[in-house]
């Protein structure tokens, strides 16, 4: 590990496929989200620079730290959220751009890191001395136990079909043997993963922990200024790298020709628009309805997908 | 360098204003007009205005109603919970001097006696367009259109 | 649950038929109807400072103050409820509810109408009769009546002095028949 390696690692993490790249593209995709929402709601939406203006404005506000909060948890939670999102996005994009950088088991690390923003929300909510934060944190804990089951079962299906837990190898397998999506188990696993991703991104109908009108922002109720900006930034980053992850893991990496890259972008856009359309046409579920949905229907579908993958379908 | 950062952050503040709506004892007329202003017909999101549900996320407080004695404490707490920089906008004739309740035993004579107000939007209730104009005027985007009318007789 | 999702997605596509309904407000003017009651405007040429509007205003924002020979009419339009009572009771039709609704301001003083009128004082005792404009209006209205010459001397007297004059005036029509 010499200085060149360390500086390259820092560059990867902070600039190119890491923080800056994912944050900028993620914020742009939140604009796409708001514009599609506006079109369906028959109005003009915000201009293209709106998410950047929002983050800039949040950075210019004073962060109020209420008296009596647990300072370490309160201040550490947004940092943890952004750190988890950054590192997860580095793994996803490096597997795409530079497949030699990776290690055995980095898929598992990726799944674990993509859970960091939810854990950070729980810590932040529990540290803010507010009943809204406490209820939001407990709801988020229940939701994490619910949607991670389906997410992991879908990932297990892919691992069983491709026979590897290294992300770059999964992409290489799909480049040779065709996408996982076209098998029965792969198709069911993709549907399961898209539903779990809706909950992971905190979108309706599953945004139970951050219910704006019920819980006043839930765990985010006491955050302002830089803390809120970091949470929103990590949400934007997740909105970028999670759909990319789904498209990559189920259909493989695009080859280096224009048609293949365009096909990848079209698939990404389709996944995004599907998530947005489900978000704006549904009402929020109650916590027990959501838990029942994830544990019985989605969990069962995931188990069926794993069973089919075992049988080789 | 710090000048450009200041200018950039000022630009961000003008382009993205998150409002929190406070009812300080009003009749709900102004509240309904504020909600009207947030519908797709007027579409405030194209100016970056968004309704938030906690004063900690807010930049502008839209306060409607004459401040009654009971609500004064809560309005002050909401004002202190909002992080700087912030704008206080008094919506309706009741905020500007107490309106029709100016000499009631239960009100305190308008918002100016309780909070530092950046701009008043008179009306009973003000049209949604007037509310939009007022918020835009507070951000410095449009000019003021009223001034004092005086007439002194000369022989 | 999935059938519900499909029907919701179909509904989302149906919503696209409405197009864009937004009124581009600051860049397009917002039209109001003819009977819209906006900010009251005082026509000081017609006003005679009689105080009917001050009586009628529910928000009590119109005040008349007398001070050395001047009657000041003061409207504090910040508290106005735009009811139009002042316009309805004004005998000179001097108040008009304009169409202006973009009246936001940081300073309540910007919404003040202040007008001053000369007072007519009694030639005998010096009490206030009314504003000179009021006296002129009454004089003009009576100038069309056939008996106006009988009252020519009363316009610059207060009510007490008018009574004194009327008690001792020569009788016009009646003769007492025992």
């Amino acid at each position: 590990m010499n200085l060149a390696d360390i500086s390259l690692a820092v560059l990867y993490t902070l600039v190119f496929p890491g923080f800056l790249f994912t944050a900028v593209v993620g914020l742009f995709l939140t604009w796409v989200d708001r514009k599609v929402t506006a079109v369906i709601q028959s109005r003009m939406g915000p201009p293209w620079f709106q998410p950047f203006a929002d983050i800039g404005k949040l950075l210019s506000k004073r962060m109020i730290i209420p008296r009596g909060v647990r300072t370490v948890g309160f201040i550490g939670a947004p940092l943890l959220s952004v750190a988890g999102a950054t590192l997860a996005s580095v793994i996803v994009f490096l597997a795409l751009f530079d497949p030699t950088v990776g290690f055995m088991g980095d898929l598992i690390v990726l799944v674990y890191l993509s859970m960091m923003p939810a854990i950070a929300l729980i810590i932040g909510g529990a540290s803010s001395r507010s009943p809204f934060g406490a209820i939001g944190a407990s709801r988020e804990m229940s939701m994490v136990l619910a949607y991670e089951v389906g997410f992991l079962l879908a990932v297990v299906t892919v691992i069983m079909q491709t026979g590897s837990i290294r992300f770059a190898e999964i992409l290489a397998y799909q480049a040779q043997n065709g996408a996982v999506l076209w098998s029965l188990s792969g198709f069911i696993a993709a549907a399961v993963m898209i539903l779990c991703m809706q909950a992971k991104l905190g979108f309706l109908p599953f945004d139970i922990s951050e219910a704006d009108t019920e819980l006043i922002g839930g765990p985010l109720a006491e955050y302002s200024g830089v803390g809120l900006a970091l949470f929103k930034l990590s949400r934007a980053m997740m909105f970028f790298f999670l759909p990319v992850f789904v498209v990559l893991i189920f259909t493989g990496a695009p080859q280096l020709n224009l048609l293949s890259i365009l096909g990848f972008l079209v698939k990404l856009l389709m996944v995004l628009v599907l998530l947005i359309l489900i978000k704006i046409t549904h009402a929020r579920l109650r916590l027990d309805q959501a838990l029942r949905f994830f544990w019985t229907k989605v969990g069962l579908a995931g188990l069926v997908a794993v069973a089919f993958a075992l049988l080789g379908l | 360098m710090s000048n450009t950062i200041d200018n950039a952050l000022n630009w961000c503040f003008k382009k993205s204003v998150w409002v929190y709506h406070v009812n300080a004892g009003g009749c709900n007329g102004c509240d309904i007009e504020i909600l009207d202003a947030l519908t797709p017909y007027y579409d405030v999101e194209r100016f970056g205005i968004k309704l938030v549900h906690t004063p900690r996320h807010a930049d502008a407080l839209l306060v409607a109603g004459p401040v009654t004695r009971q609500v004064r404490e809560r309005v002050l707490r909401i004002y202190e919970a909002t992080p700087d920089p912030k704008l206080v906008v008094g919506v309706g004739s009741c905020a500007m001097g107490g309106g029709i309740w100016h000499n009631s035993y239960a009100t305190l004579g308008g918002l100016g006696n309780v909070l530092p107000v950046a701009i008043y939007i008179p009306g009973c209730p003000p049209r949604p367009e007037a509310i939009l104009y007022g918020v835009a005027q507070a951000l410095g985007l449009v000019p003021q259109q009223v001034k004092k009318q005086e007439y002194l007789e000369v022989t | 649950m999935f059938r519900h999702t499909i029907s919701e997605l179909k509904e989302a596509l149906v919503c696209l038929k409405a197009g864009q309904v937004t009124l581009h407000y600051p860049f397009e003017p917002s039209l109001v109807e003819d009977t819209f009651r906006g900010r009251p405007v005082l026509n000081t040429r017609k006003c005679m400072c009689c105080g009917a509007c001050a009586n009628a205003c529910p928000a009590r924002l119109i005040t008349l103050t007398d001070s050395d020979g001047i009657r000041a009419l003061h409207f504090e339009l910040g508290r106005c409820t735009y009811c139009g009572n002042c316009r309805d009771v004004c005998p000179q039709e001097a108040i008009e509810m304009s169409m202006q609704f973009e009246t936001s301001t940081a300073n309540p003083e910007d919404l003040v109408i202040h007008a001053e009128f000369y007072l007519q004082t009694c030639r005998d005792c010096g009490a206030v009769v009314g504003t000179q404009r009021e006296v002129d209006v009454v004089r003009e209205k009576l100038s069309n009546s056939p008996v106006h010459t009988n009252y020519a001397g009363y316009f610059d007297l207060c009510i007490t002095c008018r009574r004194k004059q009327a008690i001792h005036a020569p009788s016009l029509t009646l003769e007492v028949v025992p």
Side-chain angles (χ1 to χ4, degrees), chain A residues 148-171:
Chain A
E148 290 294 339
V149 167
F151 197 74
L152 287 168
L153 285 174
V155 169
V156 161
T157 311
V158 171
I159 292 177
M160 287 172 64
Q161 279 219 348
T162 59
S164 154
I165 55 173
R166 187 178 157 159
F167 199 27
E169 277 174 26
I170 293 180
L171 297 181

Side-chain angles (χ1 to χ4, degrees), chain C residues 90-101:
Chain C
C90 180
Q92 300 292 92
E93 289 177 5
I95 297 188
E96 184 200 333
M97 307 296 281
S98 66
M99 309 270 215
Q100 188 186 28
F101 55 85

Side-chain angles (χ1 to χ4, degrees), chain B residues 1-80:
Chain B
M1 179 66 187
S2 77
N3 217 11
T4 29
I5 296 185
D6 274 342
N7 289 343
L9 291 179
N10 276 341
W11 176 87
C12 285
F13 189 78
K14 286 204 170 76
K15 290 290 181 185
S16 151
V17 182
W18 290 0
V19 298
Y20 179 69
H21 162 235
V22 182
N23 177 313
C27 70
N28 291 339
C30 295
D31 304 329
I32 296 176
E33 296 296 322
I34 291 174
L35 286 179
D36 272 352
L38 300 166
T39 51
Y41 186 64
Y42 298 105
D43 194 21
V44 291
E45 198 178 12
R46 60 198 157 108
F47 304 122
I49 300 178
K50 189 171 96 145
L51 185 72
V52 289
H53 300 268
T54 164
R56 296 230 187 262
H57 297 179
D59 303 318
L61 295 177
L62 291 177
V63 186
V67 182
T68 56
R69 275 204 219 158
Q70 284 153 313
V71 95
R72 169 187 169 269
E73 176 72 39
R74 281 84 179 170
V75 166
L76 283 175
R77 278 188 73 177
I78 291 174
Y79 178 74
E80 282 159 21

Side-chain angles (χ1 to χ4, degrees), chain A residues 154-236:
Chain A
V155 169
V156 161
T157 311
V158 171
I159 292 177
M160 287 172 64
Q161 279 219 348
T162 59
S164 154
I165 55 173
R166 187 178 157 159
F167 199 27
E169 277 174 26
I170 293 180
L171 297 181
Y173 178 94
Q174 295 195 40
Q176 287 177 343
N177 304 31
V180 173
L181 185 60
W182 307 129
S183 57
L184 185 61
S185 62
F187 190 72
I188 299 178
V192 161
M193 187 176 264
I194 287 189
L195 283 172
C196 293
M197 206 168 42
Q198 185 87 8
K200 219 166 156 75
L201 291 169
F203 282 173
L204 286 154
F206 307 118
D207 75 337
I208 299 164
S209 68
E210 243 187 83
D212 256 352
T213 44
E214 279 177 67
L215 277 189
I216 317 201
L220 297 182
E222 295 286 335
Y223 277 96
S224 52
V226 179
L228 190 63
L230 290 178
F231 269 123
K232 298 245 178 241
L233 210 56
S234 71
R235 273 285 150 95

